[in-house]
Amino acid sequence: MTSKLLMIPKTKFNPRFHPTSREIELLSQVIKFEQNVDSKAFTLHESPLSVHGKLHFGHFYNKVHKDILKRYKLLRGYKITPSMQFELFGPQVEHAAFQQLIQMGTTQMEYNEIAIRQICSKYAEEQLKSYLEQIQRWGILEQEISLTIDPRYQKQVLYQLAHFLEQNQIIREQKIVIWSKSRFSEVPLDSVIISQRDVPAHAIKFKFTRLSPSFKKLKCSFYLVLELPSPWKIPSAKAIKLVEQEWLVMKNKEALIMSKQFFNTHKEEFSMYQFVGTIETSDFVNLTVDNGLNEFVDLRMIEGEENNIICPAHQMDDIPIAKRYKLDRTGMVNENGQLVYEDEEFDILNNEANQQILKELRERNRILDVVSSAQEVFYHHKITGEQLLLRSVPGWFLHFDEKLIDEYKEKYNLNEMNTKQNNKDEIYTPYIELMEALCGQWCITEHNVWGIPIPLFKATTPKKFQKLKNGYLLNADIVKYFADLVEKNGSDIYWKWNIVDLLPDEYKPYAQDLEKHTCVLNRNFSLPQQCDLIYEGIDQNEAFLFSSQMMMMLFQKKFNRKIHTHTVLQFNKDKISKTNCFTLENIIEGQVKGNEQKQYGCGVDVLRALATSINEHDEFSQFMLDKKKEQINYIRKIYWQIIGCLENASVTPVDFKDLHFFDQYIYQQLILFVANITKAYEDYNFGLAYQLYIDFMQNYVSIYVASTRNKIIAFHSEYQNSLYIYYKIYDITLNVIQPILCFNARDIHTKLPTSWPKIPVSHYQEAQQNIVTLSLLHKLQKEINTQIDEVQERIKQKSISKKLEIVFILEPNTFEFKLIDIDPDELALFFDCGKITIETDFLNKKRPNHICMSSFFVKEQFYHQKINYHVKFYQINDSQCPRCLEHKPIVTQICQDCTDYIQIEEEKLKQIN
């Protein structure tokens, strides 16, 4: 009879999770969601994801964080905008498409525009299909897909361009690009390796064209000496930047002004020169010098680390200087990578251009015979290794009033003090710096083919046209007409159709005097997005400023206020997106190793947990993955015990006031946990939310289940309080963690709640009042458990806790006594031991000292008072009941409690029968 009445928890729930199979089974449930149409809308900014290259952990990190945020907002009753954008245009996609061709063995490098667009279109479609499959596997909520290649989207962007043309805000200027001479196109920055190395430098003499009165007294020619590693840049130099410092004046037949560092390095070469004196940079700045090639260059004193020529067409650091000082950015390098000088062309990369300029300078006696070196910047393609160069190409810029920056600061109260006090400087300061660096000019075109084309026509006979922009016919009427054609026929028509078919009727007569000019819009010249939150990586400041914020400010006179940035992840001290050491698919699904052994994948949830916890200081590693896997497996075992108890009993609600001490304690901890995890979600601190969950399950729920599970199994009808708390833990914890662990939550709880837990206000207020007490009890519990572990290790026995009598030696009416003035049986459950006794010091001394297993003190601070507990462990000699696993006197085969319980159940069965 006893064996028949013995209740062992039985459940179909498997604590072992097989992610590679089970997650795929759950996928259709995980990605679907329902939302209340009448709810308040929440819109999250979605930057279009460019489909070049492979998806990496950086993409996963960003998409998962946004997915967590959307799932949380759904639970809070918001209506979300289910959309995901993909960028199929852009130089990165074009470049990647041709790199794929090269890797496949293609040697042809020259294609017409239509062929290029066909190659790019095929590549982009294949990439999009792959991206969508992978992103869905990540458990991302089902969403509508929008593409920048959609003709309707292209029409809207072109109409936006027409608006700025009507406002006369589009101008033509020089833009600086990293150029591939093999493909005659610019190379995106993320496909380039930038390095520096020492190269031979040449001491060039720049002759002063006019002298200050102090210089004229020496009655000789004056030269400024600079060390330059690449003399071929001199013809494109627009000015010379000078650092504020002290200079030496040395005279022989001519006077040389040189830096002290240069002189100290080459003292021997100047032994024949006479030292005249020293001067400051301010003594000769703003004068003009002859560059030795019959061109005049202004001297400018600019803050920096070195004296050098300002050559914005070929030196990246000089671009903002050129914008600030309104210097011309035109260079003298053509699309073949050749220096165009005096109607001749000299190759730059094979050093031909350098040799020619040096020859010219030597003939004019402008080079000092000294041996020197300097650092030069080099650009190489990441995949092909091709050496690249900087050159200027014509581009179209959106001009805006720089007062816009001041209006932006004023409108959003972004003064220096305010940003520091509100921790806004990390978010808003990059916006201000980027806008200031633009100097009122934002380049909106690319020197590529794969993009939204601008209907740009060069006039072969300019006199026939009344209004041209730098010799080009470009106006709002033509752009709008072209936009309407694109919506119906696609943008390839720009190259497929004749010019006359692309023009409105009033311009058709001029078609024969026009020729097409290939120019596409920058991918960041996109439609503005009004949203409730921008949530992007901190390294994407520039991208989402240009792709949305600038359009909001310039087009709609608005600005998205709420911005949150997340960190940039590292691997081997580099951005994780720049490494190819692992693939997401191998991590999630597993891979076959070199020894042909299968390494099982960790699944998506482990990676989602890692994505919430990892930060910029962490290095992505297998150890971190294993740690998350262990945490989730441990949590599943706790739920297995809970489900085993719940499935074998009916749960009835219990009033909060009727809960026993341990049940009330854990319920209040559950309430505080919900409050803390809610705040973590609201602060977008998903790492903290996950850690709060793990800590609560490990430090509170596991102890509570271990203490109460056996009693529930043995006497479930008498433990409705604990069963009700089990249900609350099961329902609430899985509810609040489902935005992060979406697969495991769905696997464990088949009927997950669709709204956030609602805690009665009175319950929350009482839990708030008891925070300090609850914290103290938890510390006591933790310290006693630590001591139990030490005793187990010392006596080489496991599961000793139920054999222990824990004695608190306290005097009546003390703070310590009042805090644990609770039913000893309840305390025994709380501390998971066989028995709890509270004794005075006088009574405890009557016990023999030799039977005490451990004696220790627990000292804590409580309400600004010091609390000191003296605790002793004694061993209970009673046997262990095989049914309830308690250490009690055994009656026949089981303890008296179990005997009584079985007799009652037998009577019930007889009445039923």
mmCIF file of all heavy atoms in Angstrom, residues 226-240:
data_model
loop_
_atom_site.group_PDB
_atom_site.id
_atom_site.type_symbol
_atom_site.label_atom_id
_atom_site.label_comp_id
_atom_site.label_asym_id
_atom_site.label_seq_id
_atom_site.Cartn_x
_atom_site.Cartn_y
_atom_site.Cartn_z
ATOM 1 N N LEU A 226 61.023 71.789 -45.128
ATOM 2 C CA LEU A 226 60.095 70.750 -44.648
ATOM 3 C C LEU A 226 60.536 69.392 -45.162
ATOM 4 O O LEU A 226 60.991 69.266 -46.302
ATOM 5 C CB LEU A 226 58.670 71.029 -45.140
ATOM 6 C CG LEU A 226 57.942 72.260 -44.595
ATOM 7 C CD1 LEU A 226 56.563 72.362 -45.219
ATOM 8 C CD2 LEU A 226 57.834 72.234 -43.080
ATOM 9 N N GLU A 227 60.381 68.367 -44.306
ATOM 10 C CA GLU A 227 60.661 66.990 -44.723
ATOM 11 C C GLU A 227 59.368 66.363 -45.241
ATOM 12 O O GLU A 227 58.385 66.265 -44.504
ATOM 13 C CB GLU A 227 61.178 66.171 -43.544
ATOM 14 C CG GLU A 227 62.593 66.510 -43.127
ATOM 15 C CD GLU A 227 63.049 65.634 -41.970
ATOM 16 O OE1 GLU A 227 62.535 65.809 -40.855
ATOM 17 O OE2 GLU A 227 63.920 64.778 -42.194
ATOM 18 N N LEU A 228 59.381 65.940 -46.501
ATOM 19 C CA LEU A 228 58.182 65.360 -47.118
ATOM 20 C C LEU A 228 58.490 63.972 -47.677
ATOM 21 O O LEU A 228 59.450 63.802 -48.424
ATOM 22 C CB LEU A 228 57.676 66.267 -48.239
ATOM 23 C CG LEU A 228 57.326 67.719 -47.845
ATOM 24 C CD1 LEU A 228 56.883 68.491 -49.055
ATOM 25 C CD2 LEU A 228 56.256 67.744 -46.769
ATOM 26 N N PRO A 229 57.650 62.977 -47.352
ATOM 27 C CA PRO A 229 57.902 61.624 -47.850
ATOM 28 C C PRO A 229 57.403 61.391 -49.282
ATOM 29 O O PRO A 229 57.846 60.466 -49.940
ATOM 30 C CB PRO A 229 57.124 60.744 -46.866
ATOM 31 C CG PRO A 229 56.024 61.617 -46.374
ATOM 32 C CD PRO A 229 56.558 63.018 -46.360
ATOM 33 N N SER A 230 56.461 62.206 -49.735
ATOM 34 C CA SER A 230 55.860 62.000 -51.065
ATOM 35 C C SER A 230 55.822 63.316 -51.832
ATOM 36 O O SER A 230 54.782 63.996 -51.855
ATOM 37 C CB SER A 230 54.447 61.419 -50.930
ATOM 38 O OG SER A 230 54.462 60.207 -50.221
ATOM 39 N N PRO A 231 56.922 63.695 -52.474
ATOM 40 C CA PRO A 231 56.961 64.981 -53.190
ATOM 41 C C PRO A 231 55.922 65.100 -54.300
ATOM 42 O O PRO A 231 55.576 66.220 -54.693
ATOM 43 C CB PRO A 231 58.384 65.005 -53.755
ATOM 44 C CG PRO A 231 59.165 64.087 -52.876
ATOM 45 C CD PRO A 231 58.214 63.023 -52.474
ATOM 46 N N TRP A 232 55.394 63.971 -54.809
ATOM 47 C CA TRP A 232 54.411 64.061 -55.896
ATOM 48 C C TRP A 232 53.136 64.791 -55.466
ATOM 49 O O TRP A 232 52.357 65.263 -56.314
ATOM 50 C CB TRP A 232 54.053 62.669 -56.423
ATOM 51 C CG TRP A 232 53.295 61.780 -55.464
ATOM 52 C CD1 TRP A 232 53.818 60.863 -54.622
ATOM 53 C CD2 TRP A 232 51.873 61.744 -55.263
ATOM 54 N NE1 TRP A 232 52.836 60.248 -53.896
ATOM 55 C CE2 TRP A 232 51.614 60.763 -54.280
ATOM 56 C CE3 TRP A 232 50.810 62.429 -55.812
ATOM 57 C CZ2 TRP A 232 50.337 60.466 -53.835
ATOM 58 C CZ3 TRP A 232 49.517 62.137 -55.380
ATOM 59 C CH2 TRP A 232 49.286 61.168 -54.392
ATOM 60 N N LYS A 233 52.913 64.928 -54.149
ATOM 61 C CA LYS A 233 51.721 65.632 -53.653
ATOM 62 C C LYS A 233 51.859 67.147 -53.719
ATOM 63 O O LYS A 233 50.861 67.873 -53.615
ATOM 64 C CB LYS A 233 51.427 65.218 -52.202
ATOM 65 C CG LYS A 233 51.107 63.751 -52.009
ATOM 66 C CD LYS A 233 50.899 63.437 -50.534
ATOM 67 C CE LYS A 233 50.653 61.944 -50.289
ATOM 68 N NZ LYS A 233 50.513 61.636 -48.849
ATOM 69 N N ILE A 234 53.100 67.649 -53.880
ATOM 70 C CA ILE A 234 53.331 69.099 -53.815
ATOM 71 C C ILE A 234 52.488 69.874 -54.825
ATOM 72 O O ILE A 234 51.928 70.923 -54.475
ATOM 73 C CB ILE A 234 54.836 69.404 -53.972
ATOM 74 C CG1 ILE A 234 55.606 68.850 -52.773
ATOM 75 C CG2 ILE A 234 55.084 70.910 -54.109
ATOM 76 C CD1 ILE A 234 57.113 69.025 -52.858
ATOM 77 N N PRO A 235 52.330 69.425 -56.099
ATOM 78 C CA PRO A 235 51.499 70.202 -57.030
ATOM 79 C C PRO A 235 50.046 70.358 -56.569
ATOM 80 O O PRO A 235 49.370 71.294 -56.991
ATOM 81 C CB PRO A 235 51.587 69.388 -58.328
ATOM 82 C CG PRO A 235 52.850 68.621 -58.217
ATOM 83 C CD PRO A 235 52.995 68.304 -56.779
ATOM 84 N N SER A 236 49.565 69.443 -55.727
ATOM 85 C CA SER A 236 48.174 69.519 -55.247
ATOM 86 C C SER A 236 48.059 70.201 -53.893
ATOM 87 O O SER A 236 46.951 70.307 -53.353
ATOM 88 C CB SER A 236 47.581 68.105 -55.148
ATOM 89 O OG SER A 236 47.573 67.462 -56.394
ATOM 90 N N ALA A 237 49.200 70.657 -53.330
ATOM 91 C CA ALA A 237 49.176 71.304 -52.008
ATOM 92 C C ALA A 237 48.434 72.627 -52.073
ATOM 93 O O ALA A 237 48.623 73.418 -52.998
ATOM 94 C CB ALA A 237 50.588 71.499 -51.499
ATOM 95 N N LYS A 238 47.592 72.894 -51.077
ATOM 96 C CA LYS A 238 46.789 74.120 -51.042
ATOM 97 C C LYS A 238 47.294 75.103 -49.994
ATOM 98 O O LYS A 238 46.931 76.272 -50.017
ATOM 99 C CB LYS A 238 45.325 73.776 -50.752
ATOM 100 C CG LYS A 238 44.747 72.732 -51.691
ATOM 101 C CD LYS A 238 44.891 73.130 -53.150
ATOM 102 C CE LYS A 238 44.393 72.028 -54.089
ATOM 103 N NZ LYS A 238 44.666 72.329 -55.497
ATOM 104 N N ALA A 239 48.099 74.619 -49.057
ATOM 105 C CA ALA A 239 48.664 75.488 -48.015
ATOM 106 C C ALA A 239 49.691 74.652 -47.256
ATOM 107 O O ALA A 239 49.894 73.473 -47.539
ATOM 108 C CB ALA A 239 47.583 75.997 -47.074
ATOM 109 N N ILE A 240 50.373 75.315 -46.312
ATOM 110 C CA ILE A 240 51.314 74.623 -45.430
ATOM 111 C C ILE A 240 50.886 74.868 -43.999
ATOM 112 O O ILE A 240 50.653 76.011 -43.600
ATOM 113 C CB ILE A 240 52.757 75.117 -45.655
ATOM 114 C CG1 ILE A 240 53.237 74.729 -47.063
ATOM 115 C CG2 ILE A 240 53.698 74.548 -44.600
ATOM 116 C CD1 ILE A 240 54.617 75.230 -47.409
#
